[in-house]
Amino acid sequence: MKVTIYEPPMCCPTGVCGPSVDDKLVKFNDALKQLKKEGIEVERNSMNNNPIAFQQNKAILNLVNTQGTNDLPATAINGTFIKLGEYPTLEELKAEIAKVKEAK
């Protein structure tokens, strides 16, 4: 099970840098830590820190080429996008992970 996040350019993924704290990013970062504790693989790709990840994934490359960064962040589970344009909550992530597990 793998959760992959494609994020727009930003100074840091934690939300605690810059002039003000981004509560959504802090909560999302905590959610990802919880998933990792539960054995879920998590990969975060920012346009400015890992542009190659965007180039190597045809779906995200097409999304960025057609929509720009409007639909970022984009979150995928096992390669299938589950949310575009905002970060999912821990509850949303767990619900989607459960769906993937049930489908197996």
Side-chain angles (χ1 to χ4, degrees):
M1 188 69 56
K2 182 177 181 179
V3 175
T4 308
I5 303 96
Y6 296 91
E7 299 175 286
M10 58 185 165
C11 60
C12 70
T14 62
V16 295
C17 55
S20 63
V21 174
D22 185 337
D23 289 334
K24 288 180 184 178
L25 270 176
V26 171
K27 287 180 183 178
F28 185 66
N29 198 48
D30 289 344
L32 295 182
K33 285 180 184 178
Q34 181 61 39
L35 292 179
K36 286 179 184 178
K37 285 181 187 176
E38 296 175 13
I40 306 294
E41 183 181 353
V42 175
E43 178 183 308
R44 290 182 85 170
N45 300 298
S46 172
M47 288 186 92
N48 54 339
N49 291 335
N50 193 5
I52 294 188
F54 285 77
Q55 294 169 350
Q56 292 175 339
N57 182 306
K58 290 181 183 182
I60 195 69
L61 184 61
N62 183 49
L63 183 76
V64 172
N65 284 336
T66 59
Q67 301 296 321
T69 58
N70 294 336
D71 285 340
L72 298 180
T75 305
I77 296 177
N78 289 352
T80 301
F81 288 101
I82 60 153
K83 191 148 194 174
L84 302 173
E86 62 183 9
Y87 292 101
T89 65
L90 178 57
E91 293 76 20
E92 289 173 317
L93 287 165
K94 285 187 172 189
E96 292 295 332
I97 288 168
K99 286 180 190 176
V100 171
K101 286 181 178 178
E102 287 176 16
K104 284 187 174 183

